[in-house]
Amino acid sequence: MTEEDYHRYIDAFNARDYDALETFFADDFALENAGFRVQGKPAFRAFYAFFHEFCREEVIFKEFFPGRNGFVSNVVIRFTGIKNLSADVLDERGYSGMSVVPEGVSVDVEFYIHYILNKAGKIQFIKGAVWVPEAPAQG
């Protein structure tokens, strides 16, 4: 996948165009993030149908780092609460590692996301890591 392809991927994600987005995925791809795993396209759609009912996500591109078997991207994801989502509901759905964004609140979170591609160039595996900048020294 090239950086240009990745921009099309981000555009599809931001537009909630899951049909276009899934053209980038292997059939059995997996997404791991915040302590939970989504395996396959049906589980991906189910997760985002649920999550995007409560929270809008906008991916803001920063950098693209190509590698031998995939790539890493540096993005900021802006999470905006659409309606309140409780930790209990997240736990019930199996997404207990996620943080809650209250209704009407926007939070920008910087991620490094590792994408592993299969031999056909489709996304086989996605795993995100949150960048937590060092706090300024108190003096």
Side-chain angles (χ1 to χ4, degrees):
M1 178 180 280
T2 66
E3 184 174 333
E4 183 177 296
D5 294 330
Y6 188 63
H7 283 281
R8 285 195 299 277
Y9 172 89
I10 290 171
D11 290 344
F13 185 88
N14 286 342
R16 307 296 172 261
D17 184 349
Y18 299 116
D19 289 333
L21 193 61
E22 286 181 358
T23 66
F24 293 95
F25 297 146
D27 288 337
D28 61 345
F29 93 100
L31 161 71
E32 283 187 8
N33 197 18
F36 67 89
R37 182 180 179 96
V38 174
Q39 179 78 45
K41 292 177 182 180
F44 172 83
R45 280 197 187 236
F47 167 71
Y48 278 108
F50 160 73
F51 186 63
H52 286 158
E53 179 183 334
F54 295 92
C55 190
R56 175 162 169 35
E57 287 180 274
E58 177 188 4
V59 178
I60 302 160
F61 177 81
K62 291 185 77 172
E63 292 187 76
F64 181 89
F65 306 97
R68 287 190 313 264
N69 299 318
F71 62 96
V72 172
S73 69
N74 177 212
V75 299
V76 171
I77 301 179
R78 179 168 294 141
F79 296 94
T80 302
I82 298 170
K83 62 184 189 180
N84 287 321
L85 174 61
S86 72
D88 289 339
V89 170
L90 287 169
D91 288 345
E92 287 170 17
R93 293 289 191 119
Y95 308 128
S96 58
M98 295 182 66
S99 298
V100 176
V101 178
E103 181 179 354
V105 173
S106 287
V107 178
D108 288 356
V109 180
E110 188 170 359
F111 284 84
Y112 282 89
I113 305 174
H114 185 199
Y115 296 83
I116 297 174
L117 305 177
N118 67 13
K119 292 191 184 301
K122 300 286 186 176
I123 297 170
Q124 186 72 50
F125 183 76
I126 304 170
K127 187 164 189 163
V130 177
W131 175 259
V132 180
E134 185 176 327
Q138 300 290 326

